[in-house]
Amino acid sequence: MRNAFFRGALCCSAALALTGCDLALALANTDSRFVTEEFKRDAARAKAAFQASTPTPSLPTMGNGIYVGFGRIDIAEALYGPEGTQLIGQANLNAAFSSSGATLDGTVNNFFYRNDTVFAGLREALESEDPDQVGAALEGFESASGELTVTANSISSPLFEADVAGSIDTGSRSFLFGGATAGQFFGDDAEVVRLTGNTVGALTVTDGSTAQNADLIIIGTQ
């Protein structure tokens, strides 16, 4: 994104026509910040690791885990509806394991969104475990600002509860998140973590004062 703005600045400093500069900056503002080979690879890798793993039998008693992956949020026009606003961001989570249990914290940020979209396209691309399909499914997504924080301070088993809080602003809509998600570690040594939540359960999502129908999933792998 920085390079995109730099190109826009060079265009203007070169004394091109005003319309040319406006066009360059407009392209910079809609340029994909994270649909890079790295993000596509990380998202596909996290999904593949999850799909290949089995539930963690017991928590590690020492060490730390750094998890990288994605967070996907579907905000449906109707309860359990197949379309609406879809968001995806980059997940970075950290776990600390000890003989007394574990903790987990982290963020999901660098969000992109698309309105009036059918959720199945991105879902199926992630299921494919193919970075190129993930990238293709993100065509037409635009940047959004904001961040979600994930916190679980007292984990005593591979199944746990984690709090999610934060906001995401698309420009035309501003979503506020709060509440709890269901977490679980996967792999023999907790190499994968997944969090799921929806507004039928303990997750709350509002746009202004209006409650939303939302489904959230976060997956990260070491």
Side-chain angles (χ1 to χ4, degrees):
M1 189 65 178
R2 180 180 178 183
N3 289 338
F5 277 106
F6 184 62
R7 289 194 300 270
L10 285 179
C11 168
C12 292
S13 65
L16 294 177
L18 178 62
T19 54
C21 293
D22 289 343
L23 176 60
L25 291 175
L27 290 173
N29 282 324
T30 57
D31 189 21
S32 172
R33 288 175 300 174
F34 68 61
V35 184
T36 61
E37 293 303 317
E38 180 181 9
F39 176 79
K40 291 185 288 183
R41 183 178 64 249
D42 286 346
R45 177 173 172 268
K47 188 63 175 179
F50 167 71
Q51 293 183 157
S53 64
T54 57
T56 299
S58 60
L59 289 175
T61 57
M62 64 176 64
N64 297 280
I66 298 174
Y67 302 87
V68 176
F70 67 90
R72 194 204 74 229
I73 306 159
D74 299 338
I75 300 178
E77 295 174 356
L79 185 63
Y80 302 120
E83 59 187 36
T85 297
Q86 192 167 45
L87 304 110
I88 186 169
Q90 186 158 7
N92 292 279
L93 307 174
N94 302 280
F97 301 100
S98 70
S99 58
S100 60
T103 62
L104 179 75
D105 60 55
T107 59
V108 186
N109 52 28
N110 290 335
F111 277 100
F112 264 63
Y113 77 98
R114 187 170 184 172
N115 292 324
D116 303 318
T117 189
V118 177
F119 300 142
L122 181 55
R123 290 178 181 177
E124 292 171 0
L126 290 166
E127 293 282 347
S128 76
E129 306 174 12
D130 182 344
D132 290 336
Q133 289 196 41
V134 173
L138 290 173
E139 292 289 337
F141 276 64
E142 300 180 65
S143 61
S145 61
E147 181 175 87
L148 301 183
T149 59
V150 175
T151 309
N153 290 322
S154 182
I155 300 174
S156 59
S157 78
L159 289 166
F160 61 94
E161 185 176 280
D163 294 327
V164 172
S167 62
I168 304 171
D169 194 329
T170 68
S172 60
R173 306 183 72 181
S174 183
F175 299 109
L176 184 65
F177 293 77
T181 61
Q184 186 170 6
F185 289 105
F186 291 83
D188 291 343
D189 295 311
E191 299 97 331
V192 178
V193 65
R194 180 188 68 171
L195 305 173
T196 59
N198 58 60
T199 50
V200 176
L203 183 70
T204 61
V205 181
T206 58
D207 178 7
S209 60
T210 306
Q212 303 294 302
N213 303 300
D215 181 80
L216 173 149
I217 184 168
I218 301 169
I219 298 177
T221 188
Q222 294 186 32

